[in-house]
Amino acid sequence: MFISLNIQGAFDHLQYNSICNSLDEINSLSHTIETFKDILNDRKVTIQTAQCPVSWSQQQGCAQGSCTDPLFWNLVANEIISEKWQPNLHLQILADAFIFVISETTEQS
């Protein structure tokens, strides 16, 4: 059996606090980890209106095409990746999709 779960808008909805929590779980004092956290710190969205620019804090999402998208997604998806699955289940992750391949010897199983 083959099951594919495509997470619609996965990169748009990545929560910064989830990414930072996943980085904290690495348990390593690293300049690289701090750099990734800094990328997410104090991000703002600004648009120009007819009166003046308007800004607000951004708490989720990654710029489409950013080289950090796959890294941040893998950090957050790691909980699913590291789950102990039954031996007859194989999990493959492709970008924002989870693919489960389940093999059984009989149709009834």
Side-chain angles (χ1 to χ4, degrees):
M1 181 185 324
F2 175 86
I3 301 171
S4 176
L5 301 172
N6 188 338
I7 313 299
Q8 184 177 357
F11 297 115
D12 295 334
H13 296 98
L14 280 175
Q15 300 292 313
Y16 294 167
N17 60 349
S18 294
I19 296 168
C20 288
N21 290 342
S22 296
L23 286 167
D24 287 339
E25 289 178 12
I26 294 173
N27 291 328
S28 173
L29 295 175
S30 164
H31 295 294
T32 305
I33 291 172
E34 293 307 313
T35 300
F36 285 131
K37 286 183 177 181
D38 286 345
I39 290 171
L40 303 173
N41 191 27
D42 295 326
R43 292 183 67 122
K44 298 211 181 305
V45 175
T46 303
I47 59 170
Q48 180 66 44
T49 67
Q51 293 77 29
C52 63
V54 176
S55 297
W56 61 91
S57 294
Q58 187 176 6
Q59 301 297 317
Q60 69 182 34
C62 295
Q64 189 171 2
S66 167
C67 61
T68 57
D69 281 358
L71 169 75
F72 291 154
W73 173 251
N74 285 338
L75 283 168
V76 173
N78 192 47
E79 185 175 340
I80 295 170
I81 296 168
S82 62
E83 182 71 29
K84 300 251 187 234
W85 299 100
Q86 294 191 17
N88 64 333
L89 188 140
H90 174 74
L91 172 62
Q92 181 71 44
I93 297 178
L94 304 167
D96 59 353
F98 295 98
I99 299 171
F100 296 89
V101 179
I102 303 163
S103 59
E104 287 291 342
T105 54
T106 66
E107 184 179 315
Q108 216 173 25
S109 297

